[in-house]
C-alpha cells in the first residue's frame, strides 16, 4: 500500500517534466498510478469482503504519535474503487479534453495524480492524523486545480474553497486531537474497537463533524462547491463530484459505528443532511448553468449520504454504500457529458444549445443512463440505493420527518435530472446558438462518460455483488432486519414510494417556469462566506486603527495601562499597608512633599519647555531637601549639584528646540484627561510599590556592618567610604562609564553639528580633515589675550554681556574652587567627596563659561578636557596597584600618619587618591560637555551672523 | 549579602568552567575581535575580514555547543546554567545567527541592506558623498555578535541579575542595528528610537521585578527563589508583583500582546537581515529565558501565573492573526505573523511539562528557520528603490519567477501550519502538549487564530500566483551564494522537520527530558 501511495506522488512529481514531450498523452501516463491502485484493490477485494483487512504502517513522528498507518477494509475498498476507477477514466478523458497547446498541462496532470494519491491515502489511513494530513493535501490540490485558469473568478473560487475547508479542517484537527487524547490512541481501528466516552468526546465529535460538513459541502458551508465549478470540467468531475467531496461523507461513515450514539451526533447529522439535500435540490431546479446544476445536485446527494451514514443503522449503511458508489459513477459521468457538450457547443448554459441529442446520440445515451441512475430508476445502481434508503427509514425508529425529507429530496432529484437532460440535449425554441454546426467525432471523450454510465447499469444489474461489499461494512451495526440490496424486493412500501417519487419528479419538469420564478429564495451560502470575510476585514481594520497607530505615546499608554492593571491589581489585592505607617515626622516633610508634587504636576501641564525644565529642577531640589531632612547630607549635596548642572545642560539643548511643546492645532494622540488619569494611577502604583518595597524588609540590612568597617578603614563618612574603599571596583567601573559617556556625548554633539552644516563646501571630507576641524574648534589658551574682569575678550554664549555677572564670576569662581578642594579633602571624615568636589569645580567652570564664552573657559582651564578625564581614570585605576603589589586585595586602603615640620600631624588615607581620580573625571566630564556644546553653539552663532 | 561575607578578608578566585561556557565565550570573543578589526583593518578590507571571521566563529561556537551535549551543571559560580534545554536553545540561536549572518554578509553592488554612514543626516550632501564613495558601516558585525552573545547568555542565566545583564547586552546592539537601514532611513531611525524607548521601559520593569523578587526570596538565584516559593505558598505581594514585572519585561522581548506594539514598526524599519535575526534568534532567546524563569524559578506557583499567561496567549494569538490581515507590507505582515506565532508557542509554555518544554523547543527551531528563509526571500524581491515590500508589488511574482514565489509560498504554508511542513509538526506538538496539560480552550482559540492566519497567508499566495504581473513590477535579484544558501537552509529545515521530524523531536525530547538545571 505504501508503495502504491508513493508511486502516486512520485508520478505526480515527475509528470510535469515529461509533459512537454508527451503533450496530452501525459494524462494517459498519469493514469497508470490509479490504474495500479484499482488492480491492487481488485486482487485484495476477496479478502476484505470476508471481513479481513490489509494493514501497513510507516513511522512519521512516533514521539508525537504520528504514524502513516494504513488499513484496507470493506469501506475503504468501496472508496478506493471509486477514487481509482473514476480517476483512471477522468485522466483518460483529460487526454482528449484539453487542447494540445493548453498551458500548464504537466502541472494539471501532476496535480490530478497527486490528488488521486492523497485521496487514496485519505481513505486508507488508519490514523487520525495521517487522515488529516491527506485531508489537507486534497484541499491544497483542489485549491490549485480550481485556480487553474488564473482569472479573477477562479481566484475567488479557489480561495473560497480553501478557506472554508481548511478553516473548518482545523476545527476537525482539534476534534481529532481531543479524540486521540481521550482514547489514548490515534489508530482509527483501535478507536472504533474501544470507543472512548466522556465530555471531551462529544466536543470532539462535533468538531470533527464540522470539518466533514465543510468538506462535503453541507449547509451552511456549501457555497464553495458551486463556485468551484470554474475549474476545468474533468477536475469538477473528479474532485467535486466523485472523490474529494465524498471525503466528509466517508469520515462520517468511518466514525459512525463508534460514535453514532453520542448525543449530538444524530440530531446534527440528520438535520444538516436533510436541509442540505432539500436546499441543494431546490436550487438545482432553478439553476441555468449545466455545471452549477450538477454541483448543486452533488450538494443535495451529499446531504442524502450524510443522512444515510449518519443514521447509524445497518440498512441505512447498506443504502449509503450503494448511493456512494452510484453517486460517484453517475455524477462523474454527467460532468463528463457536460464537458463534451461544453466543448462542442461552447457553452454550459441550459439555454445555450438545442437538439444536441440528435447530433450526438452516443453521448446522449450515456447521459440518459447516468441521469436515470441519479433519478433512481430501475435497473440502475441509483435505484438500488434509493430503495434501501426508503427501507431504512420506513422501519427503524427515526422520526417520520426524516423519511418525508428524503422522499421530497428524491422528488427534487428526479426533477433536476430531467432538467439536466433537457438543458444539455433537449430541443428548445429560444436558444442563443441555434445554427447547427457540424460536430467532429469525439469518441475519446464520449467513451469515458459511457464507461461510467455503463458501470452504473452493470452494478445495478448485480445488486448481490454490491450487497456483499456493502454488508461487509454495514454489518458492524448491530440490529435491524436482514435487508438485502436488490432490484426487486416485492410490493413493499418502499417500492410504492419510489414510484410516487418518480412520478412527482417528472411532474416537476412542466412546472419549471413557475419554479424558476418562484419567490422562495433560500439563503445563499456564498453571501454568508463573503459577509464573514468582510466582517473579518472590517474587524482587522478597526483593531489595527485602534492599537497600531504608530504613535509612541499610544504604545506607551497601552504598556503602562497593563502595568497598572496587572501588577497594580496584585498590589492592591494583596498588599496591606504597614501598621506603623506615619504620614510625616515633621511638617517640613509635608511642605516639601507638596512642593515636589506641585512642581511635578507643573512639568506635566507646562506649555513652554523652559518652564518645564525649571519646574523639574524645583522638584529635584525638593527631593534634595527631603534628603537633608532625613539626615543624608551627602546625597542632598550631590542631588543639588546635579540638578544645577543639568539645568545648564538643558539650556544648551533647549536652544535647538521650539520654545513650546505642542502647537495648539495639533491634537495629541492620547487625550489629556486620559493621560492625566493614567499618570495619576501610575503615580499611585509607583508610590505603593516603593512603600511595599521599603517596608517589606525581612533580611538584616547590609549597612549594619559598615560602621565597624569604617572605623577599620580610618574614616567616618560611610557613604564616601563605600564609594572609594569598600566598593571601589564598582566605582571604578562607574567612572569609566562616565568617561565613555563624556566622550560619546562630545562626539555625538560634534557629529550632529557636522551633519547639519555638512554642505559647507568640503566635499572630500576625510577623517583627516575632520580631525583638523575638531582642532580648530578647540581653541588653545594662548590665543586668548587678557583684559577686563574676565580673562578672554569674547562675549557670553547665551545672551548679551553682563558686567555684574562677570564681576560675580571673578569673585565666586576662586571661592568655589577652594570649596571644591575642601569637599575633596574632607570627604573621608565629613560630608563631601570626590564626586561632590568635582561637581562644584565643574560648576565654577560653567559659571565662567556662561559669563565669558568658550575662550574664557579655555583660559580658566588651559587643558584638554579629555586629558583631565584620562588622568582621573589613570589615578583612580592606579590605586588598585599598591594593595595588589603589597600582596593584599586590590584597592586595599592604608592609613599613613606622620608629623611633618610645618603642617603638623597629617593623616593620609590612600583612598584619597582614588577620590582624586573621581574628582578629575567629573571635572573633565563637565569641561568636555561644555566645550562640545559651546563649540556648536558659537559656530552656529557665527553662521547666523 | 551580609556582614560576615563582607568581612571576609580574601576574595576567593571564582571557579569558571571555560569549556561549558565556550559557546558564549567564542561569540563574545568574535565580537571583540570584530571591534579590533574595525580599529586596525583598513576600511576597504573590513567586510572581507569580518564575514569569514563571523561565519567560521559561529560554526566553532556551534561545535562547542554540540560538544557540551549531556551537560547538566550550574557553571560560573551559579550564574549560568548549562543543561539540555539551554544547549538546545543556544545551538538553535547559533545556527539561526549563522544563517542570518549569511544575509548580513550579502554585499552585492548597491544591494547592501546597511547604511553607508550611519552618522550622516538622511538627505544631506554628506550622505550622498558616502554613498558615492561606497562606504559601508561594518560595525554591524561586532554589534551583531554582541547581540548574539547576549542572546546565548539570556536563556542560560541562572540568576536574575545575569539575566538582566544578558537582556541589556542583547538589546542595546539591536537598538542600534535597527537604525542602520540603507533605504528609507528615517523610517529605520524612527523604528530604532521607538524600540529603544519602549525597550528601556521594559528593561526597567524587569529590573524592578528583580528587586521585588529579591525582597521576597532574599536571593536572585532562580533555584533559591524556587525554594522560597515552595515554602511560602506563593501568595505574597512582593512575589506576585515581582513576577508580574519580570513577566512584562520578558513578554516585551517576545512581542506578546499587549507589549507587541514595537514589533511591526521595528520589523519594517530595520534592515531586513537584522529583521531576520530579530525574528528568529531574539524570539528563541526570549522564550528560552521565559521558560527558565517560569519553570525553574516560579514552577511552584503555576496556578498564579497560568491565568495571566492564558490571557496573554489568547490576546497574542488573536490580535496577531487579526491585525495581520490588514497589512499591505510584507515585513509588517511577517511581524504580525511573528506575534501570532509567539502566542502559539506560549500555549506550549503554559503546558508546563516536559512535553510542553520539548514541543516549545521544537516549535522554536521550526519557526526560526522558516522565518529566516522568508526574510531572505524578502531581500531578493527588489525594484529601483531597494526592496519592494508592498504586497501589491508582489502581484504575479509566481509568473515571473516561479521558483522564488514557490519557495515563499512554501514558507507561508509552513507558517499556516499545513501538514508536511515544519509548521504543522510544531503546531501539532505544542497543541497536543497543551491539550495534555489541560489547556483545551486555549488550543481551540489557537486553532481559530490559525484559521484566520491561514487566510492572510493564502491571500499572499493568491496574489503571487493568480494575479497578472505588474509591467513595472519588481525584479527578483538572482540570489548570490550567500542569500541562496540562507534560503536553501530555510527550505531544507522546513521540509525535513515537516516530513521526517522524528530525529529533531527526539533531540528536543532528550534536551527537555532533564528539564532545566537548578
Amino acid at each position: 500500500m505504501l508503495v502504491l501511495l508513493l508511486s502516486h506522488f512520485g508520478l505526480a512529481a515527475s509528470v510535469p517534466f515529461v509533459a512537454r514531450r508527451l503533450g496530452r498523452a501525459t494524462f494517459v501516463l498519469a493514469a497508470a498510478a490509479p490504474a495500479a491502485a484499482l488492480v491492487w484493490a481488485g486482487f485484495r477485494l476477496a479478502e476484505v469482503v470476508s471481513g479481513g483487512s490489509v494493514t501497513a504502517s510507516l513511522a512519521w513522528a512516533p514521539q508525537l504519535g504520528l504514524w502513516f498507518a494504513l488499513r484496507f477494509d470493506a469501506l475503504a475498498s468501496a472508496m478506493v474503487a471509486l477514487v481509482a476507477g473514476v480517476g483512471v477514466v477522468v485522466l483518460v478523458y483529460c487526454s482528449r479534453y484539453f487542447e494540445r497547446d493548453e498551458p500548464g498541462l504537466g502541472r494539471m496532470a501532476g496535480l490530478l495524480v497527486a490528488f488521486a494519491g492523497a485521496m487514496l491515502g485519505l481513505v486508507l489511513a488508519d490514523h487520525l492524523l495521517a487522515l488529516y494530513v491527506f485531508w489537507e493535501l486534497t484541499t491544497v490540490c483542489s485549491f490549485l486545480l480550481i485556480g487553474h485558469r488564473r482569472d479573477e473568478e477562479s481566484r475567488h473560487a479557489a480561495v473560497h474553497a480553501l478557506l472554508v475547508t481548511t478553516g473548518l479542517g482545523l476545527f476537525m484537527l482539534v476534534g481529532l486531537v481531543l479524540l486521540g487524547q481521550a482514547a489514548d490512541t490515534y489508530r482509527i481501528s483501535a478507536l472504533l474497537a474501544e470507543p472512548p466516552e466522556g465530555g471531551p468526546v462529544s466536543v470532539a465529535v462535533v468538531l470533527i463533524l464540522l470539518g466533514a460538513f465543510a468538506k462535503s459541502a453541507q449547509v451552511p458551508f456549501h457555497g464553495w462547491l458551486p463556485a468551484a465549478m470554474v475549474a476545468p470540467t474533468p477536475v469538477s468531475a473528479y474532485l467535486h463530484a466523485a472523490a474529494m467531496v465524498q471525503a466528509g461523507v466517508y469520515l462520517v461513515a468511518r466514525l459512525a459505528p463508534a460514535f453514532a450514539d453520542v448525543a449530538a451526533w444524530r440530531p446534527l447529522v440528520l438535520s444538516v443532511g436533510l436541509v442540505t439535500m432539500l436546499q441543494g435540490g431546490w436550487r438545482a431546479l432553478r439553476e441555468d448553468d449545466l455545471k452549477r446544476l450538477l454541483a448543486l445536485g452533488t450538494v443535495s446527494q451529499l446531504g442524502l449520504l450524510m443522512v444515510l451514514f449518519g443514521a447509524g443503522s445497518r440498512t441505512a449503511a447498506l443504502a449509503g454504500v450503494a448511493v456512494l458508489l452510484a453517486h460517484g459513477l453517475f455524477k462523474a459521468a454527467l460532468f463528463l457529458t457536460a464537458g463534451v457538450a461544453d466543448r462542442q457547443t461552447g457553452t454550459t448554459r441550459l439555454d445555450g444549445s438545442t437538439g444536441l441529442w440528435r447530433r450526438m446520440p452516443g453521448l446522449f445515451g450515456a447521459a440518459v443512463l447516468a441521469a436515470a441512475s441519479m433519478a433512481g430508476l430501475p435497473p440502475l445502481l441509483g435505484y438500488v440505493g434509493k430503495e434501501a434508503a426508503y427501507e431504512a427509514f420506513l422501519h427503524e425508529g427515526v422520526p417520520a420527518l426524516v423519511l418525508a425529507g428524503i422522499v421530497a429530496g428524491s422528488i427534487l432529484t428526479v426533477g433536476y435530472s430531467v432538467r439536466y437532460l433537457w438543458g444539455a440535449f433537449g430541443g428548445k425554441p429560444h436558444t442563443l446558438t441555434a445554427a447547427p454546426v457540424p460536430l467532429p467525432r469525439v469518441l475519446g471523450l464520449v467513451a469515458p462518460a459511457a464507461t461510467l454510465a455503463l458501470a452504473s447499469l452493470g452494478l445495478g444489474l448485480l445488486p448481490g455483488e454490491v450487497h456483499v461489499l456493502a454488508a461487509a461494512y454495514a454489518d458492524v451495526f448491530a440490529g435491524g432486519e436482514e435487508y438485502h440490496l436488490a432490484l426487486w424486493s416485492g410490493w413493499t412500501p418502499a417500492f410504492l414510494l419510489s414510484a410516487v417519487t418518480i412520478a412527482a419528479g417528472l411532474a416537476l419538469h412542466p412546472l419549471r417556469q413557475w419554479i424558476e420564478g418562484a419567490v422562495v429564495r433560500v439563503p445563499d451560502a456564498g453571501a454568508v462566506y463573503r459577509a464573514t470575510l468582510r466582517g473579518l476585514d472590517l474587524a482587522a481594520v478597526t483593531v489595527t486603527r485602534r492599537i497600531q497607530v504608530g504613535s509612541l505615546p499610544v504604545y506607551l499608554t497601552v504598556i503602562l495601562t497593563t502595568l497598572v492593571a496587572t501588577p497594580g491589581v496584585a498590589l492592591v489585592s494583596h498588599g496591606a499597608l504597614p501598621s506603623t505607617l506615619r504620614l510625616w515626622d515633621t511638617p517640613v516633610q509635608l511642605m516639601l512633599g507638596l512642593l515636589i508634587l506641585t512642581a511635578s504636576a507643573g512639568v506635566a501641564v507646562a506649555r513652554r519647555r523652559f518652564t518645564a525644565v525649571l519646574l523639574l529642577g524645583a522638584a529635584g531640589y525638593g527631593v534634595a531637601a527631603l534628603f537633608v531632612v532625613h539626615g543624608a547630607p551627602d546625597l542632598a549635596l550631590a542631588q543639588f549639584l546635579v540638578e544645577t548642572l543639568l539645568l545648564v545642560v538643558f539650556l544648551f539643548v533647549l536652544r535647538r528646540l521650539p520654545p513650546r511643546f505642542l502647537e495648539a492645532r495639533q491634537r495629541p494622540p492620547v487625550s489629556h484627561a486620559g493621560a492625566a488619569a493614567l499618570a495619576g494611577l501610575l503615580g499611585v502604583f509607583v508610590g505603593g510599590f516603593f512603600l511595599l518595597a521599603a517596608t517589606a524588609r525581612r533580611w538584616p540590612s547590609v549597612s549594619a556592618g559598615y560602621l565597624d568597617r569604617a572605623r577599620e578603614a580610618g574614616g567616618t563618612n560611610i557613604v564616601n567610604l563605600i564609594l572609594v574603599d569598600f566598593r571601589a571596583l564598582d566605582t571604578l567601573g562607574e567612572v569609566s562609564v562616565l568617561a565613555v559617556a563624556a566622550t560619546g556625548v562630545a562626539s555625538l554633539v560634534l557629529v550632529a553639528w557636522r551633519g547639519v552644516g555638512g554642505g559647507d563646501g568640503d566635499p572630500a571630507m576625510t577623517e583627516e580633515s575632520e580631525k583638523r576641524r575638531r582642532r580648530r574648534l578647540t581653541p588653545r589658551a594662548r590665543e586668548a589675550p587678557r583684559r577686563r574682569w574676565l580673562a578672554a575678550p569674547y562675549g557670553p554664549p547665551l545672551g548679551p554681556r553682563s558686567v555684574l555677572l562677570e564681576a560675580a564670576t571673578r569673585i565666586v569662581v576662586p571661592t568655589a574652587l577652594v570649596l571644591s578642594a575642601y569637599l575633596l579633602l574632607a570627604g573621608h571624615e565629613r560630608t563631601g567627596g570626590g564626586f561632590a568636589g568635582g561637581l562644584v569645580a565643574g560648576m565654577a567652570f560653567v559659571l565662567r563659561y556662561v559669563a565669558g564664552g568658550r575662550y574664557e573657559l579655555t583660559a580658566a582651564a588651559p587643558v584638554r578636557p579629555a586629558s583631565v578625564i584620562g588622568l582621573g581614570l589613570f589615578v583612580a585605576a592606579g590605586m588598585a596597584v599598591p594593595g595588589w603589589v603589597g600582596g593584599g586585595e586590590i584597592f586595599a586602603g592604608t592609613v599613613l600618619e606622620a608629623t611633618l615640620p610645618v603642617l603638623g600631624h597629617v593623616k593620609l588615607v590612600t583612598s584619597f587618591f582614588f577620590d582624586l581620580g573621581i574628582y578629575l573625571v567629573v571635572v573633565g566630564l563637565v569641561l568636555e560637555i561644555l566645550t562640545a556644546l559651546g563649540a556648536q553653539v558659537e559656530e552656529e552663532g557665527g553662521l547666523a551672523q | 549579602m551580609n556582614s560576615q561575607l563582607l568581612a571576609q578578608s580574601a576574595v576567593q578566585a571564582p571557579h569558571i568552567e571555560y569549556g561549558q561556557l565556550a559557546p558564549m565565550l567564542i561569540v563574545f570573543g568574535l565580537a571583540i575581535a570584530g571591534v579590533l578589526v574595525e580599529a586596525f583593518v583598513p576600511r576597504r578590507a573590513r567586510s572581507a575580514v569580518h564575514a569569514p571571521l563571523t561565519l567560521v566563529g559561529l560554526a566553532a561556537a556551534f561545535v562547542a555547543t554540540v560538544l557540551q551535549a549531556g551537560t547538566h551543571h550550574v557553571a560560573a559560580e551559579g550564574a549560568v546554567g548549562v543543561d539540555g534545554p539551554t544547549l538546545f536553545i543556544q545551538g538553535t540561536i547559533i545556527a539561526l545567527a549563522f544563517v542570518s549572518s549569511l544575509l548580513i554578509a550579502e554585499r552585492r553592488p548597491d544591494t547592501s541592506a546597511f547604511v553607508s554612514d550611519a552618522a550622516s543626516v538622511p538627505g544631506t550632501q554628506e550622505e550622498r558623498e558616502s554613498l558615492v564613495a561606497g562606504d559601508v558601516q561594518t560595525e554591524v558585525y561586532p554589534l551583531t555578535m554582541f547581540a548574539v552573545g547576549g542572546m546565548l547568555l539570556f536563556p542560560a542565566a541562572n540568576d536574575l541579575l545575569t539575566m538582566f545583564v544578558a537582556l541589556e547586552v542583547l538589546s542595546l546592539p539591536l537598538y542600534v542595528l535597527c537604525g542602520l537601514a540603507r533605504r528609507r532611513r528615517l523610517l529605520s531611525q524612527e523604528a530604532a528610537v521607538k524600540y529603544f524607548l519602549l525597550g528601556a521601559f521594559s528593561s526597567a520593569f524587569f529590573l524592578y521585578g528583580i528587586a521585588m523578587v529579591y525582597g521576597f526570596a532574599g536571593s536572585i538565584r532562580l533555584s533559591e527563589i524556587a525554594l522560597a516559593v515552595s515554602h511560602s505558598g506563593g501568595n505574597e505581594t512582593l512575589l506576585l508583583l515581582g513576577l508580574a514585572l519580570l513577566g512584562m519585561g520578558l513578554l516585551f522581548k517576545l512581542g506578546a500582546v499587549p507589549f507587541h506594539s514595537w514589533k511591526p514598526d521595528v520589523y519594517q524599519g530595520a534592515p531586513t537581515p537584522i529583521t531576520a535575526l530579530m525574528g528568529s534568534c531574539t524570539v528563541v532567546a526570549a522564550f528560552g529565558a521565559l521558560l527558565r524563569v517560569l519553570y525553574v524559578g516560579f514552577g511552584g506557583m503555576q496556578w498564579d501565573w497560568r491565568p495571566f499567561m492564558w490571557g496573554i496567549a489568547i490576546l497574542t494569538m488573536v490580535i496577531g492573526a487579526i491585525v495581520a490581515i490588514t497589512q499591505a507590507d510584507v515585513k509588517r505582515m511577517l511581524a504580525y505573523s511573528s506575534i501570532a506565532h509567539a502566542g502559539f508557542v506560549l500555549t506550549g509554555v503554559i503546558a508546563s511539562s516536559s512535553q510542553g518544554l520539548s514541543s516549545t523547543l521544537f516549535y522554536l527551531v521550526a519557526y526560526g528557520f522558516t522565518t529566516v528563509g522568508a526574510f531572505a526571500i524578502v531581500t531578493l524581491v527588489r525594484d529601483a528603490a531597494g526592496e519592494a515590500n508592498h504586497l501589491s508589488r508582489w502581484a504575479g511574482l509566481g509568473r515571473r519567477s516561479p521558483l522564488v514565489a514557490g519557495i515563499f509560498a512554501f514558507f507561508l504554508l509552513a507558517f499556516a501550519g499545513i501538514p508536511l511542513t515544519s509548521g504543522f509538526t510544531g503546531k501539532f506538538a505544542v497543541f497536543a502538549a497543551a491539550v495534555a496539560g489541560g489547556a483545551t480552550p486555549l488550543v481551540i482559540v489557537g486553532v481559530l487564530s490559525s484559521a484566520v492566519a491561514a487566510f492572510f497567508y493564502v491571500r499572499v499566495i493568491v496574489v503571487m500566483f493568480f494575479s497578472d504581473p505588474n509591467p513595472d513590477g519588481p525584479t527578483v535579484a538572482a540570489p548570490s551564494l550567500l542569500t541562496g544558501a540562507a534560503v536553501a537552509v530555510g527550505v531544507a529545515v522546513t521540509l525535513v522537520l515537516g516530513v521526517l521530524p522524528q530525529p529533531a523531536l527526539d533531540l528536543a525530547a532528550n534536551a527537555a527530558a532533564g528539564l532545566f538545571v537548578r
Side-chain angles (χ1 to χ4, degrees), chain A residues 59-66 68 107 129 132-134 136-137 140 143-144 147-148 150-152 154-155 158-159 162-163 166-168 170-171 173-174 177-178 181 186 203 207 529 533 536-537 539-544 547-548 550-552 555-556 558-560 562-563 566-568 570-576 685 689-690 692-693 696 698-702 704-706 709 727 751-752 754-756 758-759 762-765 767 889, chain B residues 1-3 6-11 43 46 117 119-121 124-126 129 190 193-194 197-198 201 205 208-209 212 214-218 235-238 240-241 244-245 248 252 258-262 264-265 308 319 322-323 325-327 332 336 355 358 398-399 413 417-420 424-425 428-429 431-432 435-436 440 443-444 447-448 450-452 454-455 458-459 461-463 465-468 498-502 505-506 509:
Chain A
W60 176 21
Q63 190 194 321
L64 295 177
L66 294 178
F68 278 115
R107 178 171 168 275
L129 296 162
Y132 174 73
V133 169
F134 289 118
E136 291 296 302
L137 275 181
V140 171
F143 168 69
L144 294 172
H148 180 71
R150 301 189 179 209
D151 52 21
E152 186 75 6
S154 304
R155 193 160 75 217
V159 174
L162 184 71
L163 289 180
T166 47
L168 288 154
L170 284 169
F171 281 97
L173 176 61
V174 178
V177 172
L178 284 177
Q181 295 281 346
Y186 283 92
V203 178
L207 291 173
Y529 161 79
L533 286 197
L536 198 57
D537 264 334
V541 170
T542 316
V543 173
T544 310
I547 66 168
Q548 202 67 43
S551 150
L552 202 53
Y555 294 169
L556 212 50
V558 172
I559 291 179
L560 294 179
T562 318
L563 179 72
T566 42
L571 185 65
V572 172
S573 62
H574 287 78
F685 168 72
F689 179 91
F690 282 110
L692 181 74
R698 59 170 79 184
W699 306 87
S701 161
V702 288
Y706 278 142
R709 296 201 51 191
R727 317 217 57 162
V751 156
R754 179 197 64 173
V756 170
D762 190 3
M765 185 185 294
E767 288 177 23
E889 293 173 46
Chain B
M1 221 179 267
N2 56 35
S3 55
L6 278 170
Q8 277 179 350
S9 58
V11 175
R43 184 176 277 267
R46 283 179 202 163
D117 178 11
S120 65
V121 177
T124 56
Q125 176 70 23
E126 195 179 0
E129 284 160 10
E190 184 187 336
V193 169
K194 277 183 187 167
L197 282 175
L198 296 175
F201 265 93
F205 294 153
Y208 279 124
M212 286 279 130
Y214 177 76
F216 162 76
N235 197 21
E236 306 240 354
T237 321
L238 278 178
L240 288 175
L241 206 54
L245 288 167
M248 286 178 73
F252 177 86
F259 314 107
H260 67 290
S261 38
W262 58 275
D265 296 355
F308 179 68
I319 295 208
I322 285 191
V323 180
I325 294 175
T326 55
Q327 303 306 321
R332 280 184 87 85
Y336 278 105
Q355 193 193 354
S358 77
R399 210 74 70 78
L413 289 178
I418 299 293
L420 300 183
F424 170 75
T425 323
F428 181 75
F431 285 171
V435 169
T440 307
V443 172
I444 291 177
V447 168
L448 264 177
S450 301
V452 174
F455 171 59
V458 167
R459 202 143 75 168
I461 297 178
V462 168
V463 165
F465 282 94
F466 299 152
S467 300
D468 287 321
V499 177
L500 293 171
Q502 193 51 44
L505 283 168
D506 281 340

Side-chain angles (χ1 to χ4, degrees), chain B residues 99-108 111 272-273 372-382 387 404 407 411 476-491:
Chain B
V99 182
S100 305
S101 300
L102 291 175
L103 296 178
I104 292 172
E106 183 62 76
R107 291 230 186 277
R108 274 160 297 158
T111 58
T272 307
V372 173
F375 280 113
I377 296 281
V378 170
T379 64
L380 288 178
V381 182
R382 317 182 68 87
E387 285 169 16
V404 167
I407 291 175
F411 287 140
V476 171
S480 74
L481 189 63
L482 292 171
T483 310
V487 173
V489 171
V491 170

Side-chain angles (χ1 to χ4, degrees), chain B residues 56-81:
Chain B
V56 171
L58 284 175
F62 188 77
V63 172
T65 314
V66 173
L67 289 179
Q68 293 304 316
T71 312
H72 194 77
H73 183 72
V74 179
E77 300 283 324
V80 176

Side-chain angles (χ1 to χ4, degrees), chain A residues 30 57 106 148 428 438 465 511 596 656-657 678 740 745:
Chain A
S57 71
H148 180 71
K428 282 148 286 187
E465 318 302 319
L511 298 176
I596 295 167
R656 301 282 307 269
L657 296 172
L678 181 62
V740 171
V745 168

